[in-house]
Amino acid sequence: MLVVSYPNSELCSSQECNCKTAFAKRTKLHSSKVETGVSYEMVTRLASWSVRTFSLLPLSPSYSSRARFSAKCLNKGMGVDSRLLPNSTKSASFRLCNVSGYKSEILEIHAVAPTLHVLLVPGNPGVILFYKDFVEFLYEHLEGTASITAIGHISHTRKNWEHGRLFSLEEQINHKVDFIREELQNAEIPIVLVGHSIGSYIAIEIFKRFPEKVKYCIGLYPFLTMNPESKTQLVIGKISESRILSTALCYLIASLGFLPVPILRFIIRNSMAKSWSADAVDATCSHLSQYHVMRNVFYMAMTEFRKFAEVLDWAFIRERKSQISFLFGDDDHWGPLQVLEEISKQVPGIAVAVEREKHTHGFSCTEAGSLWVARHVVDLIKSQTSLTMQ
């Protein structure tokens, strides 16, 4: 078993630490704990806020949905201190594409002469705009040697392209497989899969479909099995299994979408997103206030929980253990350290690491978390590349 632990004092070289300190001072995060990010907890928070907010503020139903979606989500540069990056920042571009007939949100940066293609699979919610900073940091620290693509989940999109249809975990897996077949299959360069939360499970399933095409698979804060000690998972499981409860809660959350964006942004920023990036706040406003998105979040969660009644495919992970690694959080109920211990027991020698800087499960909601995890992923990719060249 290879376990890498990263406490504050041992994370990096002196040069890297100086960069990180400068970054922390600018964002005022050096000594404070980052709030939990994109996870199901925000659902209940949004619901409670909608009740409190609508008792105090007038509705604005005439506010256009187009105006509610900030263009800054798509085109804004990160504004990160240039000393933190090896080159000037290259912004990720946003586009819609058809994948087997489904409208899909794509965030990408193309390298001029890539040697790898990194495909990012998000968690649940599968809103790729939450990962904009992470995609850009990843590209910059790979120094332009890899193209980066993040693909969102079906119907976790701002517009209700699929007219209210609900999509299961298995359908989301097939969606990513179809994307590779339609857009990446003919490319000669290998693929590195990076999955976050349930995206880690999806990435492993993709790896099983493309064992020769995928070079490496990295799971970040992986959600791979149920945690019986998590009260949050228990509550979400009950809600997601009840169509009445999940529908009512989704309508309640969607009611926030009637508020003017500045007011909604103010509520989110001052309630649960005090240290979030502007892109993460905008993504919350534009996507998680949509009824169809939240219905799909709960439905996908229900199918995740049912799927995890099955045993993880340990045989495949053992077979490919040199090409798979995981990063766990020190205090993450979606991927607790008990799961790390079980993986290490079932697959001796697999590379696992523990992040102890309190960036938490929703690392991509903050620039500090995105930067730290991007550096970790790049180190893994470079180590794997050097091993395969020996």
Side-chain angles (χ1 to χ4, degrees), residues 207-264:
F207 195 1
K208 291 163 67 173
R209 313 276 183 95
F210 299 97
E212 303 305 321
K213 183 70 174 174
V214 173
K215 181 176 183 178
Y216 198 34
C217 180
I218 302 170
L220 304 174
Y221 304 85
F223 180 38
L224 303 173
T225 186
M226 297 297 295
N227 179 4
E229 298 180 4
S230 172
K231 294 181 179 179
T232 300
Q233 290 186 28
L234 177 63
V235 171
I236 292 170
K238 295 292 185 182
I239 294 173
S240 64
E241 287 286 350
S242 170
R243 183 174 181 179
I244 295 175
L245 288 177
S246 61
T247 299
L249 186 55
C250 289
Y251 272 123
L252 191 60
I253 295 170
S255 64
L256 288 169
F258 291 106
L259 295 173
V261 165
I263 295 176
L264 181 55

Side-chain angles (χ1 to χ4, degrees), residues 103-120:
K103 290 279 189 180
S104 308
E105 292 184 347
I106 305 293
L107 200 62
E108 59 191 356
I109 306 180
H110 289 291
V112 176
T115 58
L116 293 171
H117 198 124
V118 178
L119 179 61
L120 172 65

Side-chain angles (χ1 to χ4, degrees), residues 100-368:
S100 297
Y102 300 120
K103 290 279 189 180
S104 308
E105 292 184 347
I106 305 293
L107 200 62
E108 59 191 356
I109 306 180
H110 289 291
V112 176
T115 58
L116 293 171
H117 198 124
V118 178
L119 179 61
L120 172 65
V121 184
N124 184 11
V127 179
I128 56 169
L129 293 177
F130 282 111
Y131 299 86
K132 185 173 186 291
D133 286 344
F134 178 65
V135 167
E136 291 173 346
F137 279 130
L138 200 58
Y139 177 83
E140 292 298 335
H141 284 281
L142 284 169
E143 300 175 327
T145 61
S147 294
I148 317 291
T149 299
I151 178 170
H153 296 328
I154 316 172
S155 208
H156 292 221
T157 52
R158 183 181 67 90
K159 189 170 181 180
N160 187 11
W161 298 105
E162 310 309 330
H163 309 290
R165 179 179 167 183
L166 302 178
F167 294 87
S168 67
L169 171 62
E170 189 63 29
E171 288 173 308
Q172 299 292 2
I173 293 171
N174 293 335
H175 172 247
K176 311 306 177 289
V177 170
D178 289 341
F179 176 76
I180 293 176
R181 286 175 176 160
E182 294 173 15
E183 294 218 2
L184 303 180
Q185 181 65 32
N186 295 328
E188 295 181 359
I189 61 174
I191 296 173
V192 172
L193 297 172
V194 177
H196 171 225
S197 191
I198 188 61
S200 301
Y201 179 88
I202 295 174
I204 293 173
E205 291 299 308
I206 295 172
F207 195 1
K208 291 163 67 173
R209 313 276 183 95
F210 299 97
E212 303 305 321
K213 183 70 174 174
V214 173
K215 181 176 183 178
Y216 198 34
C217 180
I218 302 170
L220 304 174
Y221 304 85
F223 180 38
L224 303 173
T225 186
M226 297 297 295
N227 179 4
E229 298 180 4
S230 172
K231 294 181 179 179
T232 300
Q233 290 186 28
L234 177 63
V235 171
I236 292 170
K238 295 292 185 182
I239 294 173
S240 64
E241 287 286 350
S242 170
R243 183 174 181 179
I244 295 175
L245 288 177
S246 61
T247 299
L249 186 55
C250 289
Y251 272 123
L252 191 60
I253 295 170
S255 64
L256 288 169
F258 291 106
L259 295 173
V261 165
I263 295 176
L264 181 55
R265 185 182 289 115
F266 176 83
I267 294 171
I268 293 171
R269 171 67 72 186
N270 289 278
S271 299
M272 70 186 216
K274 294 181 180 179
S275 50
W276 283 15
S277 67
D279 287 316
V281 174
D282 286 340
T284 304
C285 294
S286 63
H287 286 65
L288 298 191
S289 62
Q290 302 288 341
Y291 173 79
H292 71 279
V293 173
M294 296 313 306
R295 281 289 286 134
N296 268 280
V297 166
F298 277 114
Y299 185 75
M300 184 176 172
M302 179 187 71
T303 59
E304 290 170 25
F305 292 177
R306 291 179 178 177
K307 185 67 177 179
F308 287 163
E310 303 174 10
V311 177
L312 199 62
D313 190 348
W314 295 116
F316 177 79
I317 298 176
R318 291 189 196 100
E319 178 186 349
R320 297 281 177 165
K321 70 177 182 180
S322 64
Q323 296 173 272
I324 299 175
S325 66
F326 296 103
L327 173 67
F328 285 82
D330 187 34
D331 184 19
D332 179 13
H333 74 88
W334 295 106
L337 296 185
Q338 299 95 289
V339 176
L340 179 151
E341 294 169 358
E342 180 65 17
I343 291 174
S344 300
K345 176 183 176 182
Q346 294 284 346
V347 191
I350 193 170
V352 293
V354 180
E355 174 269 303
R356 301 189 186 278
E357 294 220 340
K358 303 185 187 302
H359 292 306
T360 73
H361 192 79
F363 72 92
S364 62
C365 287
T366 69
E367 291 180 349

